[in-house]
Amino acid sequence: MLCVLACAGCLTALAAKPVVKDMGESKYCIEVGDLSMIVNGGAGGKILSLKYKDAEVISQSRWPESFGSTFWTSPQKEWNWPPVPEFDKRPYQVELKKKSLVMKSETSERLKCSVQKEFTVDAKDNAIVITYSIVNEGAEERSVAPWEITRVPNDGLIFFDAPVDAILPAGLMDFKEAYGAAWYQTDATQENRKVNADGKGWLAYACNGLLLVKQFQDLEPSQPAPGEAEIQVYVNRGKSYIELESQGAYTALKPGQKLSWTVRWHLVPFEGDCLPSQELLDKVRQIAKFSAKS
């Protein structure tokens, strides 16, 4: 009887273990299964780390704008460069709930809107779920789209569901079409490169035995912000880092209105080389709830 009670106590303790933990210094850890994510609320609500067990997938470079995962508003032509500080670098207000982590930015003086990030976990699917919201804090209507930017090492394989001949600018990066998807084996040049594509609601990156899959809304060609796209890949010059980028629908917000957009993050191990294959594509489609094309 004592053994039964002791085991029951252990199970209760495991069930009560928080999925979101305060690490101090404005940093928070979100865990589900073997997946863990660290977010810095004190510096732009930026995702600093994503690991499967002890294996890291996100760029850990310390040069500015070369590490972690961040969130901007689109189109970029509205703010050009550098990134809007209220969204990308300044502290966020943080609310740690029992099953979620909510961060809210300051209102951008220039854009008259604020950003909210809510992190939750889907234990059944072993996924970290991020819901980004943009709120029009101004007195006039504003059109805007959500934009997630995730920096990874320049190594491995990037792929998504799109025809290569529709990736623009054509020929800028060496994408290959195979098994009904577009594949890019990472390389290095002395110039910065960026391409746009209309995908099917997922973007994948395979490197060093890890497979990162991100799910988001599948957009119609008319839905992205002007000059932008559902999927973007930016390769920094040299052998430094790559940005995996996805965007939501360009939406008109009246004063006080909010636009929300969700991205589901999966990180799993895989065996084999980082080469295009039907097996790897099927694995992604299974993760992302897509069925293989006949």
Side-chain angles (χ1 to χ4, degrees):
M1 183 65 177
L2 289 175
C3 288
V4 171
L5 290 175
C7 289
C10 291
L11 290 173
T12 301
L14 286 172
K17 182 180 178 180
V19 294
V20 183
K21 298 184 291 187
D22 187 343
M23 301 175 64
E25 298 181 342
S26 297
K27 294 183 176 67
Y28 298 83
C29 182
I30 303 158
E31 297 178 342
V32 54
D34 292 315
L35 184 61
S36 64
M37 175 183 285
I38 296 176
V39 187
N40 188 354
K46 186 172 292 184
I47 298 167
L48 301 180
S49 171
L50 182 68
K51 290 182 178 180
Y52 180 84
K53 295 184 177 179
D54 293 325
E56 178 66 65
V57 72
I58 287 181
S59 170
Q60 297 298 297
S61 168
R62 301 318 299 171
W63 289 99
E65 328 299 353
S66 68
F67 65 92
S69 182
T70 189
F71 179 84
W72 300 333
T73 57
S74 177
Q76 186 172 352
K77 66 180 182 180
E78 288 195 345
W79 48 267
N80 196 20
W81 196 260
V84 178
E86 292 91 345
F87 305 156
D88 190 69
K89 291 183 174 60
R90 291 185 184 171
Y92 277 52
Q93 294 179 1
V94 179
E95 183 180 3
L96 181 58
K97 299 183 179 181
K98 185 177 181 180
K99 294 185 177 181
S100 67
L101 175 66
V102 180
M103 298 185 173
K104 185 175 181 180
S105 77
E106 301 173 6
T107 298
S108 166
E109 296 181 6
R110 181 176 180 182
L111 300 182
K112 307 302 181 188
C113 58
S114 64
V115 165
Q116 179 177 295
K117 306 177 183 182
E118 182 175 16
F119 301 83
T120 60
V121 299
D122 183 341
K124 184 178 179 181
D125 204 25
N126 282 327
I128 294 178
V129 183
I130 309 174
T131 298
Y132 299 99
S133 298
I134 302 171
V135 181
N136 183 356
E137 307 281 7
E140 300 179 355
E141 184 175 279
R142 171 172 291 278
S143 292
V144 67
W147 184 6
E148 185 185 67
I149 301 93
T150 302
R151 300 173 181 121
V152 296
N154 185 339
D155 197 7
L157 184 69
I158 295 166
F159 57 108
F160 48 85
D161 200 339
V164 167
D165 59 8
I167 298 174
L168 301 174
L172 185 63
M173 291 162 57
D174 190 19
F175 276 90
K176 306 293 186 183
E177 192 161 342
Y179 311 105
W183 309 75
Y184 167 62
Q185 196 80 45
T186 59
D187 60 3
T189 68
Q190 291 309 306
E191 63 178 355
N192 300 329
R193 295 166 288 163
K194 184 172 184 176
V195 295
N196 293 342
D198 175 26
K200 295 297 182 182
W202 61 266
L203 175 59
Y205 169 69
C207 182
N208 296 328
L210 292 178
L211 175 61
L212 171 64
V213 182
K214 299 205 290 180
Q215 289 175 264
F216 37 83
Q217 179 188 4
D218 181 16
L219 301 185
E220 297 296 330
S222 62
Q223 288 185 286
E228 305 287 348
E230 176 186 325
I231 289 176
Q232 300 174 313
V233 177
Y234 167 82
V235 181
N236 197 61
R237 64 182 179 273
K239 194 72 173 174
S240 50
Y241 70 95
I242 290 175
E243 292 181 350
L244 308 177
E245 307 179 13
S246 52
Q247 296 196 18
Y250 189 53
T251 305
L253 297 178
K254 294 180 180 179
Q257 281 191 323
K258 178 170 72 173
L259 163 66
S260 294
W261 177 68
T262 297
V263 182
R264 297 174 64 86
W265 292 53
H266 306 262
L267 184 64
V268 297
F270 83 96
E271 297 180 356
D273 298 326
C274 288
L275 296 172
S277 70
Q278 186 67 57
E279 181 181 4
L280 192 54
L281 185 59
D282 287 346
K283 187 175 183 68
V284 169
R285 285 178 170 157
Q286 181 181 14
I287 291 171
K289 306 294 191 298
F290 282 80
S291 60
K293 294 181 179 179
S294 56

